[in-house]
Every structure is written in C-alpha cells, then in structure tokens.
C-alpha cells in the first residue's frame, strides 16, 4: 500500500464521500424513521409512551455505545470488513423485528442487533472521509453527512406509505433489504496510508524494545513472526496508549462533556415530533411531511455550513460555528411547545433541520481539529460512544414527563436547555483558552527574553499542548533537549 504525503483532497476520495453518504442514509435516516413506527408500536402492543420510546433509545444507544468497536475493527482488521459485517447485522435485526411478538423482542432485534450493525458502519465511514480530505474537509463532510437529511426526506413518506400498504411488519422487512446496501458501501472504502500516520507498533517494538540479538532471531522466524510480535504484551500496551492518548487532552475533555449535553437534547425531538404533531390535530401525512421537511433542510445545513466553514474567514472559527448551531437548535426546542398547528410547525422544521445539519457536519471536523487526523477514527469512536447514554436515557425520560404531566412542554424545555448549556460550556472553554494564550504571549513580550524549557521530551509535548502548537516551537535532542519560545 503506497504511503501518500498527505490527504489527496479528491480522486478516489469522492467515492469515499459517496460511500459515506449512503452509509448515513442507511443508518441515521433509517434510525430517524423509526419514530414513524412509534404510534403503530404503541397501538399494536398497547403500551405507554415511556416503554415504547425505549425502542428508539436502544437503537441510538447501541449505535453510539459500540462505536469504539467499529473503530477498533476498522483500525486493526479493515474498514471494508467492518462496514460489510455491520450491514449484515443491521439487516438481520430489521428482518427479525418484522416477526416481533412483544416490545422486548423489538428491544433485542431492532434495538440491540440493528444498533450494533449501524455502529460497525457509521464511525469508520466518517473517519475515512477525514483521511482523504484536508483543505476541503468541511465540504466533504457536509456532502457525506447530508445523506441523513436526504434519507429522512425520502424515507419518511415512503415508510408511511409502506406501513399503510403492508403494515409495520412489511415495512420493517423491506427496510431490512434496503439496509443491505451497506455492504456495497463497505466495498467502496479503499484504505489509504498517510505519512503523518503514526508509527506502527511492530516497527516501534523493533526499534525501542527488542534487543539486537532478538532482532536477528526474529528475522529467522517463520511467516507467523509478524503476528507474534504484533500481539505481544508490549505491542498491545503501545497500541492502546497511542490510539487513545488524546483522552488526556484538555480540549478533547471539554468537547466530550459538551457532546453529552448536546446528545441528550437532540434525541427526543426525532422521537416525539410526529406524536406531538398528531396530538395537536395534524394529520398522519402532514406529520410525516414535517419529518421530510426537517430532512431536506438538514441537507442544506450540511452542505452550506460545510462550504462556509471551509472559507478562509471562518476556517479558524469552526468551534464557534459548531456551538452557534447547537445553541440555535436549543432555542428552537424552547419555542416548540407554543407551536400548536401545522403552519407554525413547518417553520420549526425548517430552522431546526438547518442547524441540526450544520452541527452534525461539524462534529467530525471539530474533532479532527482537536486530536488530528491520525487519531480521528479512535476519537470519533469515543465521541459517538459518549452519545450512547444520553440517547438511551433521554427519550424514555421525555416519555415519562409526557405521561406524568400530560403535555410535551416539560420534555421540549429540558431538551432546549440541555443543548444551550452544551453550547455555552464549549463557548466559555474556548474563550478561557484564548484569554490564557493571550496572557502568556503578553508575558513573553513584556520580559523580552526567550524562555528555555529543559525537558526529557515528554514535558515538551505537555507544554505544546498547554500553549497550543502554533505558539511553541520545540527542539528535542535525545534525552537532553530544550524548547525555545
């Protein structure tokens, strides 16, 4: 496999974008359309809002909870194998769900099995886009992530029509066949090796851990020797540390906490928008049309926000664009309880859909800016893993509030405040970092002297992380090295 000096920003990368586009249709769009089955499941099994909402919660939770597993298979086996395996599992889960006789059956088949399949596909496909693009990364992600909106726009009325024609069982069976297209998407994911990728573990062990005498013995070993070296204890420790060392970065920690509150706020709306619309007198077709509007405007948000944040004037402010989009979605949720008819719900779907597409596009871009391209696959696995608990808890909590209060007001207000808090937290963290960096620069300018930092190598990296790599230039010379600022 040829090693490229950097992301090609084109070529086969556009096929990777197309493959990721189809993956988001078959995973996120299908997950959103499960909310259309909500009323059917509730009527057929005779259960309340809270118990029925667990189906959507478990799908989302399993998808995000198992995201690190998808990254692990992609990193150590193959992105293609992981996505194809995920497509088979997701399809099997939907087909088995069409034979469900209880909500518990749906929890396991539609929730756990389908969610696991989606997890093996979603984060590896998104990470592959980041490996093929740099200068046009946000635009590439905007196109790839727009599959969620396009899929929702097309699938929402189609699923409603399938339910009317073939019942919810036939609709799930047809969706199971549709999701098999994930196997085709997996075949498009051609791997690429970049020079900036970190040194592999076996090479590291040969240089730093294995004595010369043992190196000569290793060369005489059989063809199985690479496997023996790769799975040695030192190799596993090295791989684990190098793949997840970004967890100690302050910037990633703040982003992770922000993601928790954002995920809690965004999930219930996709579950309860259709039931809420029906509760205020909107027809079934109009309620499904609201989901379609949300989906198609989501596409515009994906592409336009991706294109805008690739511009030179906004490229340095992607974090603030991300938190602005999250905050606007939170405000939309706060106003939703006063929208009591279809003409008022249409503008809501436009606004919420646009900013939902905007921040979804920027999640992998912001993550890549924080941890770098080489750790993007593992970092996205962790970021989507953090979605798991909020996705699991928030729809049932919202359903419990609906059952208890008899209205959707408390549920939507809680979602709105959660997303606004997520945006505010990230905003204050970025401002604090900027103030601290400005203060450190002013101290240096006042002293007018260069600061010499003597280190054994490890401290240099911690100082670089503290002051930002743009502000610190360091030179390492064996174990005695110094950094000039």
């Amino acid at each position: 496999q040829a090693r490229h000096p950097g992301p090609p920003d084109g070529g086969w990368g556009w096929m990777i974008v197309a493959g990721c586009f189809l993956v988001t249709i078959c995973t996120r769009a299908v997950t959103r359309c499960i909310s259309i089955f909500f009323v059917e499941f509730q009527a057929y099994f005779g259960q309340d809002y809270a118990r029925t909402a667990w189906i959507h919660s478990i799908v989302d939770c399993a998808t995000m909870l198992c995201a690190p597993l998808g990254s692990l298979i992609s990193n150590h086996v193959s992105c293609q194998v992981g996505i194809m395996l995920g497509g088979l599992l997701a399809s099997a889960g939907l087909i088995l769900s069409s034979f469900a006789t209880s909500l518990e059956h749906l929890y396991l088949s539609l929730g756990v099995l389908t969610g696991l399949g989606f997890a093996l596909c979603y984060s590896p496909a998104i990470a592959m886009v980041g490996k093929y693009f740099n200068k046009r990364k946000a635009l590439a992600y905007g196109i790839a992530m727009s599959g969620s909106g396009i899929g929702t726009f097309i699938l929402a009325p189609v699923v409603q029509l399938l339910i009317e024609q073939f019942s919810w069982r036939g609709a799930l069976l047809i969706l199971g066949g549709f999701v098999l297209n994930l196997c085709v998407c997996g075949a498009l994911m051609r791997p690429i090796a970049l020079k900036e990728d970190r040194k592999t573990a076996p090479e590291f062990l040969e240089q730093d851990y294995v004595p010369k005498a043992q190196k000569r013995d290793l060369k005489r070993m059989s063809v199985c020797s690479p496997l023996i070296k790769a799975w040695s204890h030192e190799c596993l420790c090295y791989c684990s540390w190098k793949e997840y060392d970004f967890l100690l970065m302050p910037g990633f920690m703040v982003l992770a906490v922000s993601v928790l509150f954002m995920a809690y706020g965004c999930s219930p709306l996709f579950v309860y928008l259709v039931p809420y619309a029906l509760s205020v007198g909107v027809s079934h077709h109009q309620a499904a049309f609201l989901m379609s509007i949300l989906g198609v405007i989501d596409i515009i948000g994906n592409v336009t926000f991706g294109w805008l944040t690739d511009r030179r004037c906004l490229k340095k402010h992607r974090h603030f664009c991300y938190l602005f989009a999250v905050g606007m979605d939170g405000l939309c949720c706060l106003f939703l309880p006063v929208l009591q008819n279809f003409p008022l719900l249409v503008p809501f779907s436009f606004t919420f859909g646009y900013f939902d597409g905007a921040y979804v596009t920027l999640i992998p871009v912001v993550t890549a800016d924080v941890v770098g391209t080489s750790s993007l696959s593992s970092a996205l696995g962790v970021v989507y893993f953090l979605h798991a608990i909020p996705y699991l808890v928030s729809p049932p909590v919202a359903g419990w509030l609906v059952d208890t209060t008899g209205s959707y007001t408390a549920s939507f207000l809680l979602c709105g405040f959660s997303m606004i808090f997520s945006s505010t937290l990230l905003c204050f963290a970025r401002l604090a970092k900027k103030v601290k960096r400005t203060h450190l620069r002013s101290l240096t300018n006042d002293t007018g002297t260069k600061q010499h930092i003597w280190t054994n190598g490890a401290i240099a990296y911690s100082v670089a992380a503290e002051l930002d790599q743009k502000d610190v230039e360091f030179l390492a010379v064996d174990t005695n090295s110094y950094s000039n600022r």
Side-chain angles (χ1 to χ4, degrees):
Q1 185 179 357
R3 191 170 291 272
H4 297 260
D9 274 301
W12 190 258
W14 294 115
M15 293 302 295
I16 300 296
V17 170
C20 186
F21 174 85
L22 292 174
V23 167
T24 55
I25 289 178
C26 294
T27 56
R28 302 312 298 159
V30 170
T31 300
R32 288 181 178 183
C33 289
I34 290 175
S35 63
I36 299 175
F37 291 91
F38 187 94
V39 177
E40 301 295 328
F41 291 152
Q42 190 179 28
Y44 185 86
F45 296 107
Q47 300 294 336
D48 58 16
Y49 279 86
R51 291 198 64 188
T52 309
W54 278 105
I55 299 171
H56 191 282
S57 296
I58 295 173
V59 176
D60 264 338
C61 178
T63 301
M64 302 308 175
L65 190 67
C66 298
L69 178 61
S71 298
L72 184 68
I73 294 175
S74 174
N75 291 338
H76 295 284
V77 182
S78 169
C79 180
Q80 295 170 315
V81 171
I83 294 177
M84 289 181 179
L85 178 61
L88 292 174
L89 291 176
S91 178
L94 286 165
I95 292 172
L96 290 174
S97 298
S98 67
F99 300 99
T101 56
S102 66
L103 281 182
E104 289 74 15
H105 186 163
L106 288 173
Y107 293 162
L108 292 175
S109 57
L110 185 56
V112 176
L113 189 57
T114 301
L116 175 61
F118 288 164
L120 298 183
C121 302
Y122 191 55
S123 58
I126 294 174
M128 284 295 292
V129 176
K131 285 186 171 292
Y132 272 85
F133 287 88
N134 183 24
K135 295 180 180 179
R136 291 181 284 183
K137 183 181 292 183
L139 176 61
Y141 272 125
I143 296 172
M145 304 298 281
S146 67
S148 176
I150 292 176
T152 305
F153 174 70
I154 297 173
L155 287 179
V158 169
V159 167
Q160 183 63 46
L161 182 62
L162 290 175
I163 292 173
E164 293 175 358
Q165 295 293 323
F166 305 105
S167 79
W168 62 267
R169 295 185 185 274
L172 285 175
L173 190 64
I174 294 170
L175 280 179
F178 172 73
V179 165
L180 274 175
N181 285 292
L182 286 169
C183 296
V184 179
C185 301
L188 296 174
M189 298 296 168
R190 181 188 299 170
I192 184 174
L194 304 175
K195 286 186 177 180
E196 67 183 41
D197 289 343
R198 297 176 180 179
K199 192 187 302 179
T200 60
E203 293 171 347
F204 178 84
L205 290 174
E206 277 199 26
Q207 294 181 13
D208 297 311
Y209 283 106
V210 184
K212 292 182 179 180
Q214 292 185 16
K215 287 182 183 180
R216 289 194 297 267
D217 293 337
L218 288 172
K219 289 180 180 179
R220 299 190 190 100
M221 291 174 71
S222 65
V223 180
C224 296
S225 60
L227 293 177
I228 296 173
K229 288 187 290 180
W231 292 103
S232 64
H233 176 70
E234 292 87 352
C235 175
L236 290 176
C237 292
Y238 176 78
C239 287
S240 299
W241 169 246
K242 296 306 287 182
E243 286 182 13
Y244 294 98
D245 59 353
F246 60 84
L247 291 173
L248 300 178
M249 295 173 60
F252 184 81
M253 291 180 182
V254 174
L255 178 64
V257 176
S258 174
V259 163
L260 288 173
F261 287 95
M262 180 273 293
Y264 182 90
C266 71
S267 181
L269 185 122
F270 292 102
V271 181
Y272 292 108
L273 178 59
V274 171
Y276 172 71
L278 295 174
S279 71
V280 295
V282 176
S283 69
H284 284 78
H285 285 286
Q286 287 177 328
F289 185 63
L290 288 174
M291 288 294 292
S292 295
I293 294 174
L294 193 151
V296 73
I297 300 302
D298 193 292
I299 305 163
I300 300 174
N302 286 141
V303 178
T304 59
F305 234 68
W307 181 82
L308 286 172
T309 52
D310 268 341
R311 301 306 95 195
R312 184 174 299 176
C313 57
L314 291 178
K315 200 165 188 177
K316 296 180 181 179
H317 306 289
R318 285 168 170 170
H319 277 80
F320 289 103
C321 293
Y322 166 79
L323 64 90
F324 173 75
V326 174
M328 288 301 296
D329 263 2
L331 287 175
C332 289
C333 290
L334 295 183
F335 284 103
L336 183 56
V338 301
L339 308 178
Q340 299 285 327
N341 53 56
F342 182 72
L344 292 177
L345 287 171
V346 170
F348 166 81
S349 293
F350 271 89
T351 308
F352 186 89
Y354 181 81
F355 288 107
D356 178 74
Y359 79 74
V360 166
T361 294
L362 291 180
I363 287 176
V365 177
V366 170
T367 305
D369 289 343
V370 172
V371 304
T373 303
S374 58
S375 298
L376 180 58
S377 180
S378 299
L380 280 176
V382 174
V383 167
Y384 291 127
F385 171 83
L386 293 172
H387 286 66
I389 301 302
Y391 277 6
L392 178 67
V393 177
S394 57
V397 169
W400 176 78
L401 288 173
V402 173
D403 293 331
T404 303
T405 64
S407 72
Y408 292 85
T409 302
S411 300
F412 292 144
L413 290 179
L414 184 59
C415 292
F417 284 123
S418 179
M419 298 188 79
I420 290 173
F421 178 78
S422 169
S423 176
T424 305
L425 176 67
L426 192 60
C427 180
F428 279 122
R430 295 291 296 180
L431 291 176
K433 182 179 179 182
K434 187 175 181 179
V435 169
K436 186 175 182 180
R437 187 164 53 198
T438 304
H439 177 65
L440 290 171
R441 284 175 176 171
S442 65
L443 287 177
T444 303
N445 293 332
D446 291 340
T447 57
T449 60
K450 291 185 176 180
Q451 300 175 359
H452 299 278
I453 304 173
W454 295 86
T455 177
N456 62 355
I459 300 176
Y461 284 97
S462 65
V463 173
E466 182 69 23
L467 302 182
D468 202 332
Q469 290 182 352
K470 296 178 181 178
D471 302 322
V472 177
E473 295 179 359
F474 63 91
L475 174 66
V477 183
D478 296 327
T479 57
N480 292 324
S481 59
Y482 65 90
S483 174
N484 291 331
R485 189 184 188 280

